[in-house]
């Protein structure tokens, strides 16, 4: 800690986007993509904390069979809120709207996104949607699960409309962001930045944006139909009014399966940046990774039926969806192999972003492989709607998306704020999170295979031991994530200056000071080398 | 093969369960294989290629390798195609009902299961089936979507309100198995559980006979008390005065009941009968019209027995006062 002395403010780039203008108004009306990224950082972190509290309540309730301190109705509301908040308010926006907003323009050498006002609007729309969704807590939060299956969601007395309206509005925020990124990538790349000199994070965010723009409207339509049915009795899904409940599932998953890739693709982009930088060598299989992002985006539209293998769709449909589901596993597998090969003949260092990336690889591999279990028709019949599925998607969404997001946050934090967090505490927290995560979710695979259904307020005594383990893991996760928030916030006040390029990376955002100047680049950069040509550029680390 | 099976899998009770288990076991070992290969490589690289000096060196390393990339695309592709075919074949076996199957109707409603057997016998929350005979299930729901799930049989099928689901199983041993509702259906979703009792053929026939004459020889109050739990009344109507999804039945009989339309009625035999068979006819003030109809589930003697039982609940309160 004594090394802190002698670090003077002059080490920070001036003027930078943080200090250029002051006052609340300069933030709330900012058109700077970097500041909007920070607005998202604050709001999604709040959402993460709220969603985390709900998760904790779930794990406390499941610590023992029987009711502990909630009624079953409250429990049903809590798991609905946990899912809806984590998915719609945190994971979907987190990486694109925070890190994508901040770094996509910088990585392609642009001053800003194509439509800065739309960008700011997307944040306000997000806040508005979030308020609606959370307001429903006050009026009797929805108890439908984040999937809003009909006819339950048409019948229940809780405020489904408030929640779905919130989700609908959030969808528009997501569409705005996606649209903005697509145009930005097409129009604003710096001279010399050909498609194949574009960083893989940009490719990933671009593929994500395509899904956001094409799939989210379907969710919007579905939710509008649901609201019409609830509010005006227009029968679309409820058989009592002549509708078909399975139609809802088709509509819902037509969005929500691609949405899974909205959540994971950006994280894959981050891993593609972090691993070469900390291996100090060019990425292995650049084109394979780039194309596999697009392949995932495309195939992800064709697999929604794998959520409905036991709902009574025809065997032929089930077979097609199963086959396509396997095909979408291939590009993900290819990425994992490429990342692994990128370490071959590197010069590896193990700062926190790299440790997060390695954890991502491990957890995502388990999440992906258990996804193959679910694609196998006969096996899915047994484990569908059990804790096996819960474990699988937490390995993908927390082990994949959130660990990827944290890898990115730790990677770019010194660029965003000019200061370095405590590498020691970051490593400790990572170890706690890694152990806590596996302790929480691995037992759930076994619970699921043994037949414990999901969304159960109470369970048979034979499932108790594994539930206790899972709850213990949950508390460890709480400690781990709590530590991350603490040391990151502390770093803002006490962190050492990181310099322009602390990790020795070769993409454009590291070529300017930290924190970056308001307009990113003094003059439009000219791109002469690829994003991972370390052996050509030989970048020097500015930290420690 | 069975080492993981015994540790993790639930007991296998149907003819196709071992086939599902074989797939599960294969998948588990396949996953372990990939994890070991990938993480073996990663750990090796981490040790072998860690930075040696103070500063990292920038080596020229291969940017890609077409042969290798084709290999690691083709091998997983073959593997998943193989898994697809295998999984599909077992799935078809689980879906195509054998011709000579015994047909049982399964009706799901909030929050219990009722079963109707070929000769008209019924049971609630307990499915009784003969061992070694294919059983065809014709599933439907009276309200929201539920899902019929017996882990030991590896069977699951959604029950829909607007169309039948069809599936089958054949139990291999005499014994009891848990039955769960696997599709979220509200308040008592996790209490919507029952049993599948697999019995010998002779026992099954005996059971059918006694269930047709069940309650005979029992005093009606006692029979009613049994029905009150076995037919799921207890899920919504407590016995101690605390309101749940429906009003508590303590002291209801003979009392004056306030209805949603502003009128009130005395809860006599006819009112209770109507409440059970046509629950939507009169709705108690302060409650939702969610009570399912028992029209086809309860026989006349059973309704009578329930009424007799409800009477005893009112006697207790008056004597208690
Ligand atoms: Cu149910």
């Amino acid at each position: 800690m004594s090394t802190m002395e002698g670090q003077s403010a002059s080490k920070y780039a001036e003027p930078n986007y943080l200090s250029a203008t002051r006052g609340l108004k300069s933030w709330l009306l900012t058109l700077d993509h970097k500041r909007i990224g920070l607005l998202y950082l604050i709001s999604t972190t709040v959402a993460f904390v709220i969603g985390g509290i709900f998760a904790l309540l779930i794990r406390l309730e499941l610590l023992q069979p029987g009711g502990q301190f909630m009624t079953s109705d409250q429990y049903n509301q809590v798991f609905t809120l946990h899912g809806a908040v984590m998915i719609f308010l945190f994971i979907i926006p987190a990486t694109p709207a925070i890190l994508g907003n901040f770094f996509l323009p910088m990585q392609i050498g642009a001053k800003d996104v194509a439509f800065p006002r739309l960008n700011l609007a997307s944040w306000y729309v997000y806040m508005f949607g979030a308020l609606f969704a959370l307001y429903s807590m006050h009026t009797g939060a929805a108890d439908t699960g984040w999937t809003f299956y009909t006819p339950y969601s048409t019948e229940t007395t809780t405020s489904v409309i408030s929640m779905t309206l919130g989700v609908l509005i959030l969808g528009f925020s997501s569409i705005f962001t996606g649209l903005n990124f697509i145009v930005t990538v097409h129009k604003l790349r710096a001279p010399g930045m050909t498609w194949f000199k574009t960083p893989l994070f940009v490719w990933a965010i671009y593929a994500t944006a395509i899904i956001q723009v094409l799939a989210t409207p379907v969710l919007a339509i579905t939710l509008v139909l649901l609201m019409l049915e609830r509010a005006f009795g227009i029968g679309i899904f409820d058989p009592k009014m002549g509708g078909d409940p399975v139609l809802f599932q088709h509509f819902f998953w037509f969005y929500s399966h691609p949405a899974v890739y909205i959540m994971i693709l950006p994280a894959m982009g981050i891993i593609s940046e972090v691993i070469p930088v900390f291996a100090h060598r060019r990425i292995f299989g650049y084109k394979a990774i780039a194309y596999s992002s697009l392949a995932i985006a495309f195939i992800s539209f064709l697999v929604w039926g794998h959520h409905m293998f036991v709902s009574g769709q025809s065997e032929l449909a089930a077979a097609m969806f199963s086959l396509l589901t396997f095909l979408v596993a291939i590009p993900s597998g290819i990425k994992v192999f490429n990342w692994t090969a990128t370490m071959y003949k590197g010069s590896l260092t193990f700062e926190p972003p790299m440790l997060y990336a390695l954890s991502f690889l491990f957890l995502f591999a388990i999440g992906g492989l258990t996804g193959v279990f679910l694609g196998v028709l006969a096996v899915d019949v047994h484990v569908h709607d059990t804790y096996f599925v819960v474990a699988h998607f937490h390995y993908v969404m927390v082990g994949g998306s959130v660990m990827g997001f944290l890898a990115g946050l730790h990677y770019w934090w010194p660029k965003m704020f000019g200061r370095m967090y405590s590498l020691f505490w970051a490593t400790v927290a990572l170890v706690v999170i890694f152990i806590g995560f596996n302790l929480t979710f691995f037992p759930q695979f076994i619970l699921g295979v043994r037949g414990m259904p999901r969304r159960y307020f109470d369970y048979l005594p034979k499932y108790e031991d594994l539930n206790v383990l899972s709850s213990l893991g949950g508390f460890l996760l709480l400690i781990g994530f709590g530590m991350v928030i603490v040391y990151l916030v502390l770093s803002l006040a006490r962190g050492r200056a990181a310099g322009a390029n602390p990790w020795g990376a070769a993409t454009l955002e590291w070529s300017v000071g930290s924190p970056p100047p308001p307009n990113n680049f003094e003059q439009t950069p000219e791109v002469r080398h690829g994003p991972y040509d370390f052996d050509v550029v030989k970048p020097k680390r500015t930290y420690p | 093969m069975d080492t993981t099976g015994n540790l993790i899998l639930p007991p296998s009770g149907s003819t196709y369960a071992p086939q599902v288990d074989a797939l599960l076991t294969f998948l588990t070992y396949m996953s372990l294989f990939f994890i070991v290969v990938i993480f073996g490589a990663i750990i090796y690289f981490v040790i072998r290629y860690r930075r040696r000096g103070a500063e990292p060196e920038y080596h020229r390393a291969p940017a890609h390798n077409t042969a290798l990339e084709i290999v690691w695309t083709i091998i997983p592709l073959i593997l998943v195609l193989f898994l697809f075919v295998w999984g599909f074949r077992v799935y078809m076996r689980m879906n195509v009902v054998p011709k000579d199957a015994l047909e049982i109707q399964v009706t799901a409603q909030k929050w219990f299961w009722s079963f109707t057997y070929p000769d008209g016998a019924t049971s609630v929350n307990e499915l009784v089936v003969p061992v070694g005979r294919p059983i065809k299930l014709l599933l439907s729901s009276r309200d929201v979507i539920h899902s019929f799930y017996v882990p030991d049989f590896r069977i699951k099928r959604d029950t829909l309100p607007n169309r039948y689901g069809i599936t089958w199983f054949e139990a291999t041993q005499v014994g009891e198995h848990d039955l769960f509702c696997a599709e979220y259906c509200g308040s008592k979703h996790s209490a919507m559980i029952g049993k599948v009792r697999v019995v010998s053929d002779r026992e099954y026939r005996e059971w059918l006979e006694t269930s047709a004459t069940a309650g005979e020889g029992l005093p009606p109050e006692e029979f009613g008390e049994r029905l009150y739990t076995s037919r799921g009344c207890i899920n919504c109507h407590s016995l101690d005065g605390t309101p749940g999804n429906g009003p508590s039945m303590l002291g209801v009989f003979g009392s004056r009941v306030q209805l949603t339309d502003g009128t009130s009625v005395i809860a006599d035999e006819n009112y209770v009968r109507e409440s059970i068979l046509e629950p939507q006819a009169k709705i108690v003030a302060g409650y939702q019209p969610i009570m399912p109809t028992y029209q086809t589930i309860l026989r006349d003697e059973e309704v009578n027995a329930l009424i007799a039982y409800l009477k005893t609940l009112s006697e207790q309160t008056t004597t208690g006062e």
Side-chain angles (χ1 to χ4, degrees):
Chain A
M1 286 296 138
S2 60
T3 45
M4 290 216 16
E5 296 143 33
Q7 300 297 326
S8 69
S10 64
K11 286 242 176 127
Y12 305 112
E14 289 290 351
N16 64 54
Y17 78 105
L18 290 170
S19 62
T21 51
R22 289 188 183 280
L24 193 61
K25 216 176 113 197
S26 76
W27 281 89
L28 292 181
L29 296 179
T30 181
L31 297 180
D32 183 345
H33 65 102
K34 300 183 287 301
R35 284 192 168 197
I36 296 173
L38 293 197
L39 291 178
Y40 268 114
L41 174 63
I42 295 166
S43 30
T44 52
T45 305
V46 172
F48 180 70
V49 171
I50 295 175
I53 292 172
F54 289 130
L56 207 66
L57 291 176
I58 294 175
R59 282 322 321 168
L60 274 174
E61 178 54 52
L62 295 181
L63 199 50
Q64 276 172 29
Q68 313 305 314
F69 58 95
M70 286 189 234
T71 64
S72 60
D73 289 320
Q74 286 167 334
Y75 178 82
N76 296 342
Q77 293 175 315
V78 165
F79 81 66
T80 302
L81 282 165
H82 166 69
V85 168
M86 283 303 199
I87 289 176
F88 296 114
L89 293 180
F90 175 65
I91 302 186
I92 289 184
T95 302
I98 302 170
L99 300 174
N101 239 330
F102 205 113
F103 292 106
L104 177 126
M106 296 192 73
Q107 287 203 318
I108 61 173
K111 258 168 81 172
D112 206 314
V113 291
F115 308 117
R117 277 167 221 282
L118 186 68
N119 201 13
L120 181 64
S122 87
W123 182 72
Y124 277 101
V125 173
Y126 168 89
M127 293 303 283
F128 193 56
L131 289 182
F132 255 101
L134 294 177
Y135 173 74
S136 72
M137 277 201 288
H138 178 67
T139 52
D143 66 341
T144 56
W146 76 280
T147 45
F148 309 116
Y149 270 21
T150 55
Y152 187 77
S153 56
T154 328
E155 288 177 18
T156 175
T157 51
T158 53
S159 35
V160 174
I161 295 203
S162 170
M163 175 60 95
T164 44
L165 201 58
V167 172
L168 177 88
I169 297 170
L170 287 165
F172 280 97
S173 158
S174 184
I175 295 173
F176 287 178
T177 306
L179 194 71
N180 219 337
F181 288 168
I182 293 178
V183 179
T184 307
V185 172
H186 276 279
K187 289 290 173 198
L188 298 186
R189 276 172 293 133
M193 177 157 297
T194 58
W195 280 100
F196 290 120
K197 284 202 174 108
T198 309
L200 287 164
F201 180 65
V202 175
W203 275 93
I205 294 285
Y206 179 77
T208 310
I210 291 177
I211 309 179
Q212 283 175 301
V213 170
L214 292 183
T216 318
V218 179
L219 177 72
I221 295 164
T222 313
L223 295 177
V224 167
L225 292 177
L226 177 61
M227 284 186 265
L228 286 178
E229 178 165 290
R230 255 187 92 87
F232 304 108
I234 299 176
I236 292 158
F237 305 123
D238 190 342
K240 281 204 208 94
M241 307 178 217
D244 182 359
V246 178
L247 180 67
F248 177 87
Q249 298 180 17
H250 281 288
F251 282 178
F252 181 81
W253 290 113
F254 187 85
Y255 163 77
S256 292
H257 192 80
V260 172
Y261 293 96
I262 296 181
M263 303 184 227
I264 193 68
L265 273 171
M268 292 171 155
I270 290 168
I271 303 305
S272 307
E273 295 297 312
V274 169
I275 291 185
V277 168
F278 292 86
H280 302 92
R281 58 152 284 180
R282 68 177 57 221
I283 189 134
F284 188 94
Y286 173 96
K287 284 191 182 173
I289 295 179
Y291 283 135
S292 62
S293 288
L294 294 184
I296 288 174
F298 179 69
I299 307 175
S300 73
F301 279 98
L302 306 174
V303 300
W304 78 91
H306 68 205
H307 295 269
M308 299 156 63
F309 288 153
V310 301
S311 73
Q313 68 187 355
S314 77
E315 280 86 14
L316 180 67
M320 295 317 292
F321 283 122
S322 166
L323 187 62
L324 288 162
T325 301
F326 285 123
L327 294 188
V328 85
I330 301 289
S332 304
I334 291 176
K335 283 183 194 255
V336 171
F337 296 140
N338 279 304
W339 293 323
T340 305
T342 301
M343 290 178 225
Y344 172 67
K345 289 205 172 164
S347 174
L348 302 167
T349 61
F350 301 101
E351 286 84 1
M354 181 63 161
L355 295 177
Y356 271 107
L358 291 174
S359 319
F360 168 99
L361 280 184
F362 184 70
L363 302 177
F364 177 71
I366 294 180
L369 285 164
T370 50
V372 173
F373 282 58
L374 292 167
V376 177
L377 284 165
V379 173
D380 183 75
V381 170
H382 176 50
V383 289
H384 174 76
D385 265 337
T386 67
Y387 263 85
F388 188 90
V389 175
V390 177
H392 156 71
F393 70 70
H394 279 89
Y395 266 83
V396 176
M397 291 197 210
V398 183
S401 308
V402 177
M403 294 306 256
F405 170 70
L406 287 174
L409 195 64
H410 285 80
Y411 174 57
W412 279 309
W413 187 267
K415 173 55 63 185
M416 296 165 85
F417 298 103
R419 293 169 184 264
M420 188 61 85
Y421 46 83
S422 158
L423 298 183
F424 171 75
W425 284 110
T427 309
V428 173
L430 171 79
V431 172
V432 175
I433 291 175
F434 185 81
I435 296 173
F437 177 84
N438 284 297
L439 194 58
T440 311
F441 293 106
F442 202 82
Q444 297 185 0
F445 282 125
I446 303 172
L447 278 174
V449 169
R450 290 193 182 161
M452 178 169 161
R454 63 191 286 204
R455 297 175 169 175
Y456 261 33
F457 161 71
D458 188 7
Y459 51 82
L460 296 182
K462 64 179 174 187
Y463 299 125
E464 182 168 355
D465 295 349
L466 290 165
N467 269 296
V468 170
L469 272 186
S470 180
S471 289
L472 290 180
F475 304 137
L476 267 187
L477 266 183
L478 171 79
I479 297 173
F481 285 128
M483 283 165 76
V484 173
I485 293 178
V486 170
Y487 69 70
L488 284 184
V489 170
L490 280 183
S491 80
L492 296 180
R494 323 191 346 190
R496 295 166 53 186
N501 193 0
W503 316 118
T507 39
L508 287 177
E509 76 272 28
W510 302 103
S511 66
V512 298
S514 309
N519 288 328
N520 299 350
F521 304 95
E522 238 106 272
Q523 65 233 131
T524 312
E526 185 108 18
V527 181
R528 295 217 178 70
H529 59 82
Y532 312 109
D533 289 346
F534 299 103
D535 48 338
V536 182
V537 187
K538 296 200 185 339
K540 270 229 124 359
R541 283 185 165 214
T542 56
Y543 186 89
Chain B
M1 194 105 172
D2 250 291
T3 41
T4 46
N6 287 338
L7 282 178
I8 296 176
L9 292 169
S12 103
S14 71
T15 45
Y16 50 63
Q19 297 168 5
V20 177
D21 293 355
L23 261 168
L24 262 169
T25 311
F26 178 83
L27 281 161
T28 309
Y29 284 119
M30 183 199 82
S31 302
L32 271 175
F33 170 79
F34 275 107
I35 294 283
V36 167
V37 167
I38 297 170
F39 287 88
I42 290 180
I43 290 167
Y44 174 74
F45 293 161
V46 160
I47 295 168
R48 171 78 176 72
Y49 299 115
R50 66 183 191 280
R51 177 187 64 188
R52 301 297 164 118
E55 284 293 311
E57 305 141 46
Y58 296 106
H59 306 290
R60 251 205 98 77
H64 75 116
N65 181 325
T66 314
L68 184 64
E69 289 177 70
I70 289 177
V71 167
W72 74 37
T73 310
I74 296 291
I75 290 183
L77 196 62
I78 294 173
L79 203 59
V80 295
L81 288 179
F82 165 72
L83 279 170
F84 162 70
V85 173
W86 185 2
F88 181 62
R89 291 179 59 165
V90 179
Y91 180 73
M92 286 314 280
R93 224 161 283 158
M94 299 164 83
N95 269 279
V96 178
V97 185
K99 285 234 165 47
D100 56 339
L102 184 78
E103 185 176 308
I104 297 178
Q105 283 181 29
V106 180
T107 310
Q109 56 194 299
K110 287 177 181 169
W111 288 280
F112 62 95
W113 301 95
S114 42
F115 305 98
T116 311
Y117 300 81
D119 68 343
T122 61
S123 66
V124 168
N125 284 346
E126 188 188 53
L127 172 62
V128 181
V129 295
V131 69
R133 245 183 98 183
I135 310 290
K136 172 180 173 181
L137 300 176
L138 195 63
L139 306 121
S140 62
S141 162
R142 295 216 171 163
D143 39 50
V144 301
I145 303 176
H146 304 267
S147 192
F148 178 93
Y149 179 34
V150 182
D152 292 354
F153 294 167
R154 319 285 185 265
I155 189 183
K156 183 180 293 114
R157 190 64 167 214
D158 286 2
T159 67
L160 297 167
N162 59 334
R163 63 176 90 119
Y164 290 114
I166 295 171
T167 187
W168 77 284
F169 67 88
E170 179 182 326
T172 51
Q173 296 135 34
V174 170
E176 271 201 345
H177 306 278
D178 291 313
L179 155 66
F180 296 125
C181 174
E183 182 62 65
Y184 172 70
C185 57
S187 235
K188 300 276 188 312
H189 171 51
S190 62
M192 191 168 162
I193 60 184
K195 289 267 180 220
V196 179
R197 193 149 60 86
V198 182
V199 296
S200 70
D201 214 34
R202 193 172 52 86
E203 243 181 294
Y204 174 68
R205 260 177 279 123
E206 279 170 14
W207 176 84
L208 278 183
E209 264 161 48
T210 48
S211 87
T213 55
E216 261 174 34
L218 276 183
E221 295 82 9
E222 218 166 285
F223 183 37
E225 183 172 5
R226 283 197 198 169
L227 291 168
Y228 197 79
T229 352
S230 72
R231 295 318 195 230
C233 315
I234 190 89
N235 282 343
C236 297
H237 299 293
S238 78
L239 294 173
D240 57 4
T242 45
N245 296 93
S248 171
M249 280 297 126
L250 185 70
V252 165
F253 191 87
S255 70
R256 183 164 279 281
V257 178
Q258 209 62 44
L259 301 178
T260 34
D261 60 7
T263 60
S264 65
V265 288
I266 297 281
D268 57 9
E269 285 86 348
N270 277 321
Y271 170 76
V272 172
R273 189 182 165 80
E274 186 188 55
S275 295
I276 296 173
L277 298 178
E278 258 181 89
Q280 318 299 3
K282 299 195 178 74
I283 306 296
V284 183
Y287 290 92
Q288 297 295 320
I290 56 163
M291 173 155 163
T293 166
Y294 281 86
Q295 197 93 56
T296 52
I297 298 173
L298 294 177
R299 288 175 292 125
D300 250 5
E301 310 86 273
E302 292 175 323
V303 175
N304 295 343
L306 276 166
I307 294 175
Y309 173 59
L310 292 190
K311 282 183 185 165
T312 66
L313 294 174
S314 291
E315 282 153 21
Q316 280 164 10
T317 39
T318 36
T319 46
E321 267 165 10

